[in-house]
């Protein structure tokens, strides 16, 4: 049960990043750049954001370099919360801030405990032995 739960947790944590990163690749690219610029963040950083979301999300999903991917996404969530969601007078922004912190907490747990037995990390580790 522990391994299945770890897999489900990884899927749930990864989903938001994969969907968000994928959405920025197409029609959402220009709008995201404009939003970043309106918040004082260079739109030139958007390819790095997409790489973090898609690469990190896929790493977590498949359990590949999970500790690194999860730590990176935790930092990404905290940074995003601080840069984009600090208008606490706006209830939606407050909720987004707390959501980012909660996801960062889940990612930190994953970074500490690893992906579990049903992961590429575990498969690679078994092959090394």
């Amino acid at each position: 049960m522990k391994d299945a739960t770890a897999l489900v947790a990884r899927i749930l944590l990864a989903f938001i990043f994969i969907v968000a990163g994928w959405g920025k690749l197409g029609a959402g690219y220009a709008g995201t750049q404009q939003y970043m610029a309106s918040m004082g963040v260079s739109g030139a950083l958007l390819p790095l954001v997409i790489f973090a979301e898609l690469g990190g999300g896929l790493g977590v999903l498949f359990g590949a370099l999970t500790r690194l991917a999860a730590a990176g996404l935790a930092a990404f969530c905290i940074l995003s919360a601080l840069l984009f969601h600090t208008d606490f007078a706006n209830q939606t922004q407050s909720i987004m801030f707390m959501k980012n912190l909660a996801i960062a907490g889940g990612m930190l747990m994953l970074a500490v405990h690893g992906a579990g037995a049903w992961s590429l990390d575990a498969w690679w580790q078994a092959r090394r032995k």
Side-chain angles (χ1 to χ4, degrees):
M1 191 69 171
K2 177 182 166 185
D3 298 328
T5 302
L7 174 62
V8 170
R10 287 196 341 261
I11 292 167
L12 294 173
L13 282 167
F15 183 72
I16 193 169
F17 295 100
I18 295 167
V19 170
W22 186 259
K24 289 174 180 75
L25 284 175
Y29 195 92
T32 302
Q33 272 189 321
Q34 289 173 355
Y35 177 68
M36 290 172 68
S38 77
M39 300 301 287
V41 178
S42 173
L45 294 174
L46 185 53
L48 183 59
V49 169
I50 293 169
F51 175 76
E53 289 177 332
L54 278 178
L58 291 169
V60 167
L61 177 67
F62 292 109
L65 302 173
T66 308
R67 291 175 191 267
L68 179 64
L73 287 173
F76 177 84
C77 285
I78 293 167
L79 186 60
S80 295
L82 294 172
L83 290 173
F84 299 107
H85 305 300
T86 54
D87 180 7
F88 299 118
N90 180 326
Q91 184 179 15
T92 300
Q93 292 303 313
S94 293
I95 291 168
M96 296 293 281
F97 184 88
M98 291 184 288
K99 171 208 52 108
N100 278 28
L101 294 184
I103 294 169
M107 288 297 175
L108 289 173
M109 289 291 287
L110 193 54
V112 168
H113 293 285
W118 295 355
S119 66
L120 288 176
D121 289 339
W123 182 75
W124 291 329
Q125 183 70 22
R127 288 185 50 102
R128 280 188 220 126
K129 290 181 180 180

